[in-house]
Amino acid sequence: MAATDLERFSNEEKRNLSLGGHVGFDSLPDQLVSKSVTQGFSFNILCVGETGIGKSTLMNTLFNTTFETEEASHYESAVRLRPRTYDLQESNVHLKLTIVDAVGFGDQINKDESYRPIVEYIDTQFENYLQEELKIRRSLFNYHDTRIHVCLYFITPTGHSLKSLDLVTMKKLDSKVNIIPIIAKADTISKSELHKFKIKIMSELVSNGVQIYQFPTDDEAVAEINSVMNAHLPFAVVGSTEEVKVGNKLVRARQYPWGVVQVENESHCDFVKLREMLIRVNMEDLREQTHTRHYELYRRCKLEEMGFKDTDPDSQPFSLQETYETKRKEFLGELQKKEEEMRQMFVNKVKETEAELKEKERELHEKFEHLKRIHQEEKRKVEEKRRELEDEMNAFNRRKVAVETLQSQSLQATSQQPLKKDKDKKNFFSLPSACSITSGRHVN
Ligand code: GTP
Ligand code: MG
């Protein structure tokens, strides 16, 4: 290859060449269609609206079938998301349709947290998809994609304005899902009131910065119809699965004593417009927007939260490997810091326990010394007592001996001078030693 050719190719310049004959890659779109048809499609609709607003009836009317429905009670303590998946087939196209009902929406006295379970449900589906994408062995080909492609927001036909619950909920959801607002039970509102109501709703959405799904106008094939339909938002719909004879035709309608509201009559309501926009024209765009806009935003925030980034602070490309290494270092650093903190904590604890033990030991020692002093005092007292008793015993013994001596002397005297008995007796008692016999202390 010549040097100039090489330069040209390295700068990624492309040359237009013409083919000499039929090659066959013009069949690529057909191959794609065939592959998609074989694979089947999934579409997930979230219905948000107060209990009994007509969600199930509208779903049945839209898909012309009867899905399982359970009337929700008005006594749910919190909003609960109930998904149900169905396999539908039209011609050779398989559709895995999931309808998620926000059961109990608007029934709680305190509605501050009503939006939270809905946001959490949407995020969980994104998270599941992200986890599948991050797996080493991914199976996105046959993964059941449960991400919500569209949220049909049922507005109560009050004719006044949106409720703050509607505005708050839609605001919380608008960056996560394609919202199509619809006025439910539109047969209960008069034509002139409906017109004003639509204008009011749209101006309230704009003034509160709520982004609703706009039917795309960049594809020439659908640009015109989509831009016309954008002007009709929010669609005012009527749902019914009941068939009523109008002329010689059976049509789905709601029959009243004063007349019949035909679901598919465009002068009666916007049901046909909704079906056209939601299913027949923009279903693929809703799926694509979910993936390229809402999921992408979730993924970016999540990965950034985890520390991944595309460029470093100097705006240089930053690879996944580098992010991993940086994160690993950060993690190891943190681990070391934690280890050091724990070691320090342990040392402090040991020191504290040691000090406590020492204090206890000192207290015990003091107690022991105190007891020892008491014991010695007691011992001294007992010793003193013993000495006193011994002294008393000695004194007693001495007195005893003295008495015995006197007794023996008196006996002797009695036997020698029996006649002078009385006189001697008197003498004896007058002797100072006799006094000392009665009082031991004088003996000493
Ligand atoms: P839950 O699932 O219990 O929250 O109710 P829902 O929102 O699914 O409402 P559902 O479709 O069960 O309808 C409740 C009642 O409203 C039924 O009696 C329906 O016949 C009636 N209904 C449904 N759609 C319309 C409508 O477009 N106009 C009028 N007037 N009534 C409707
Ligand atoms: Mg229902």
Side-chain angles (χ1 to χ4, degrees), residues 186-223:
D187 52 328
T188 61
I189 193 165
S190 77
K191 201 173 171 181
S192 58
E193 276 175 349
L194 183 65
H195 182 66
K196 283 187 209 142
F197 192 36
K198 278 191 176 190
I199 295 171
K200 188 88 197 274
I201 290 170
M202 288 313 281
S203 80
E204 278 187 338
L205 289 176
V206 171
S207 61
N208 285 282
V210 178
Q211 295 272 317
I212 59 165
Y213 174 73
Q214 292 292 308
F215 304 118
T217 48
D218 43 8
D219 178 354
E220 263 178 43
V222 290

Side-chain angles (χ1 to χ4, degrees), residues 50-58 70-72 82 101 185-188 237-239 254 256:
E50 61 188 49
T51 304
I53 192 73
K55 302 182 287 290
S56 305
T57 310
L58 188 77
E70 270 162 41
E71 228 176 79
R82 186 183 57 199
D101 253 331
K185 298 191 179 180
D187 52 328
T188 61
V237 296
V238 174
R254 299 190 74 84
Y256 294 103

Side-chain angles (χ1 to χ4, degrees), residues 45 47 54-71 84 86 88 97 99 101 152 154 238-243 252 254 263-264 271 274-275 278-279:
I45 305 177
C47 295
K55 302 182 287 290
S56 305
T57 310
L58 188 77
M59 286 301 111
N60 291 343
T61 320
L62 268 175
F63 288 92
N64 207 359
T65 185
T66 313
F67 298 111
E68 345 155 31
T69 48
E70 270 162 41
E71 228 176 79
R84 287 208 169 125
Y86 307 91
L88 306 178
L97 177 74
I99 300 173
D101 253 331
L152 292 181
F154 291 70
V238 174
S240 176
T241 45
E242 198 185 319
E243 294 203 312
R252 286 185 298 171
R254 299 190 74 84
V263 168
E264 292 179 65
F271 172 80
L274 174 69
R275 186 180 60 195
L278 178 71
I279 303 174

Side-chain angles (χ1 to χ4, degrees), residues 26-224:
D26 60 350
S27 69
L28 254 176
D30 299 333
Q31 291 174 34
L32 205 63
V33 168
S34 153
K35 201 171 166 187
S36 301
V37 167
T38 320
Q39 205 179 323
F41 299 87
S42 68
F43 193 64
N44 308 318
I45 305 177
L46 168 67
C47 295
V48 180
E50 61 188 49
T51 304
I53 192 73
K55 302 182 287 290
S56 305
T57 310
L58 188 77
M59 286 301 111
N60 291 343
T61 320
L62 268 175
F63 288 92
N64 207 359
T65 185
T66 313
F67 298 111
E68 345 155 31
T69 48
E70 270 162 41
E71 228 176 79
S73 95
H74 283 282
Y75 306 107
E76 296 277 343
S77 56
V79 177
R80 174 170 57 87
L81 280 290
R82 186 183 57 199
R84 287 208 169 125
T85 304
Y86 307 91
D87 263 322
L88 306 178
Q89 189 182 353
E90 191 171 47
S91 312
N92 61 343
V93 178
H94 289 268
L95 181 69
K96 199 178 259 186
L97 177 74
T98 301
I99 300 173
V100 186
D101 253 331
V103 181
F105 184 78
D107 282 333
Q108 293 73 39
I109 293 171
N110 183 351
K111 300 180 181 65
D112 288 358
E113 297 288 295
S114 296
Y115 70 88
R116 202 178 288 281
I118 305 173
V119 168
E120 280 170 5
Y121 181 87
I122 295 172
D123 280 349
T124 308
Q125 311 320 308
F126 283 150
E127 183 60 31
N128 293 346
Y129 192 86
L130 180 64
Q131 288 308 321
E132 187 61 36
E133 247 189 5
L134 294 176
K135 274 185 189 170
I136 293 177
R137 286 165 183 261
R138 302 183 292 181
S139 52
L140 288 171
F141 178 74
N142 54 8
Y143 174 80
H144 177 205
D145 185 2
T146 54
R147 294 172 299 175
I148 299 295
H149 299 117
V150 66
C151 164
L152 292 181
Y153 196 96
F154 291 70
I155 297 165
T156 317
T158 58
H160 288 238
S161 62
L162 285 170
K163 297 177 188 175
S164 50
L165 173 67
D166 299 329
L167 285 168
V168 170
T169 310
M170 282 197 256
K171 186 81 203 123
K172 293 282 179 192
L173 297 184
D174 71 354
S175 61
K176 295 180 178 292
V177 68
N178 301 310
I179 302 176
I180 300 184
I182 49 180
I183 300 168
K185 298 191 179 180
D187 52 328
T188 61
I189 193 165
S190 77
K191 201 173 171 181
S192 58
E193 276 175 349
L194 183 65
H195 182 66
K196 283 187 209 142
F197 192 36
K198 278 191 176 190
I199 295 171
K200 188 88 197 274
I201 290 170
M202 288 313 281
S203 80
E204 278 187 338
L205 289 176
V206 171
S207 61
N208 285 282
V210 178
Q211 295 272 317
I212 59 165
Y213 174 73
Q214 292 292 308
F215 304 118
T217 48
D218 43 8
D219 178 354
E220 263 178 43
V222 290
E224 201 186 322

Side-chain angles (χ1 to χ4, degrees), residues 282-328:
N282 297 305
M283 199 182 236
E284 184 48 29
D285 185 70
L286 286 161
R287 283 159 36 90
E288 201 182 298
Q289 290 286 320
T290 303
H291 186 71
T292 56
R293 210 168 118 222
H294 302 301
Y295 171 66
E296 206 54 32
L297 180 66
Y298 176 85
R299 182 181 171 278
R300 200 182 71 211
C301 294
K302 196 76 194 189
L303 293 184
E304 276 173 359
E305 219 175 80
M306 285 159 76
F308 292 103
K309 48 194 170 210
D310 293 332
T311 52
D312 65 10
D314 306 323
S315 307
Q316 293 303 309
F318 201 61
S319 74
L320 205 70
Q321 179 69 26
E322 284 168 306
T323 309
Y324 171 74
E325 284 299 333
T326 321
K327 272 276 139 194
R328 192 164 169 270

